[in-house]
Amino acid sequence: MKPTALLRLALAGTRTDTLRVALTAFSAMLAALALLAALTVLAIPDPVSPPDAGVPLNDQYANALLREPGLHPGVIAALLLLTIPVLALAGQCARIGAPSRDRRLAAIRLAGGTPRQTMAVAAAETGVASLLGTCAGLVVHLIGREVLHRPDDTGRLPLPTDVLLPVPVLAAAVLGLPLLAALAAAVMLRRVVVTPLGVVRQARRKRSPKPWPAVLIVLGVGAFFAFEGLVRWYDET
């Protein structure tokens, strides 16, 4: 299948399919903004140690979270954690119009498409929608960098708008997220069988739950109280 035909089939469909693509692109834009913000904080250069051997600080920023280099890992972790609800939103968006998409995939099989080609169409839909979203996120990031570059009276910046990520890093972030989304869609479709008569999802037989999660929870709670008691004993001694 030619790439142009694959792209045309991936973006074809009804209004519901268009809505699914738009919401997936919006989710990818939010994820791209969070990732670019985390990479921007990571790219803040280390401050030069002052002559009086004090703690080096990024004095060009007004926010203490950006001014102290020791707080940067926590800020980066918080920004990356923001992508979790965004990815959950993307997963919910993929369910919109699922019957219509299944009928479209079945029509492709009825027209002579192979199972691999139908899965490629479904994965390409997610990848293209995510690519549109990440490109929009990059544009919003670059525009916001110019709009929010407003030093205060002391010359300090509220955000790291003085840091511009290298082009290879921007390209990796913009292209990496859609690639991961397409691969995730392909993995999720491994148990989906598309036939000319419809879509069949294979499911494993449900097994009885194992006791290991409960054991791990009990051990975790016990370790927490044991650690707290050890800290109190150390403080008393």
Side-chain angles (χ1 to χ4, degrees):
M1 184 181 295
K2 296 182 179 180
T4 54
L6 180 63
L7 180 62
R8 186 167 59 252
L9 291 174
L11 297 179
T14 61
R15 294 181 179 178
T16 306
D17 297 317
T18 304
L19 177 62
R20 181 177 60 252
V21 171
L23 291 178
T24 304
F26 179 72
S27 303
M29 182 189 70
L30 296 179
L33 288 174
L35 179 60
L36 292 174
L39 293 176
T40 301
V41 176
L42 181 63
I44 294 177
D46 295 332
V48 180
S49 180
D52 56 356
V55 178
L57 300 174
N58 295 101
D59 291 329
Q60 70 270 28
Y61 301 121
N63 195 327
L65 295 176
L66 301 175
R67 192 164 56 248
E68 299 184 18
L71 300 178
H72 291 175
V75 176
I76 296 172
L79 291 173
L80 293 179
L81 288 176
L82 289 177
T83 60
I84 296 179
V86 173
L87 295 177
L89 174 63
Q92 294 297 324
C93 293
R95 298 182 178 182
I96 297 177
S100 176
R101 179 180 56 188
D102 294 345
R103 289 192 295 268
R104 182 158 53 91
L105 295 178
I108 295 175
R109 288 283 285 119
L110 187 62
T114 63
R116 181 175 297 181
Q117 289 175 340
T118 56
M119 293 301 100
V121 170
E125 177 185 324
T126 303
V128 171
S130 301
L131 180 60
L132 294 176
T134 53
C135 291
L138 176 61
V139 173
V140 173
H141 173 76
L142 295 178
I143 294 176
R145 179 177 175 272
E146 297 295 331
V147 173
L148 299 177
H149 188 76
R150 295 290 185 270
D152 57 10
D153 297 337
T154 61
R156 293 181 175 180
L157 298 172
L159 295 173
T161 52
D162 58 331
V163 178
L164 180 61
L165 295 173
V167 175
V169 176
L170 293 175
V174 172
L175 299 179
L177 286 177
L179 180 59
L180 290 177
L183 291 177
V187 171
M188 293 175 61
L189 292 173
R190 287 186 306 171
R191 300 186 177 278
V192 176
V193 179
V194 181
T195 66
L197 300 179
V199 177
V200 179
R201 289 171 173 81
Q202 298 176 348
R204 294 180 179 179
R205 294 179 57 186
K206 294 183 178 180
R207 300 178 180 179
S208 58
K210 301 296 183 179
W212 300 116
V215 173
L216 293 177
I217 292 175
V218 173
L219 291 177
V221 174
F224 172 77
F225 286 107
F227 179 77
E228 185 178 0
L230 182 62
V231 171
R232 291 180 179 177
W233 175 80
Y234 181 79
D235 293 338
E236 292 176 358
T237 56

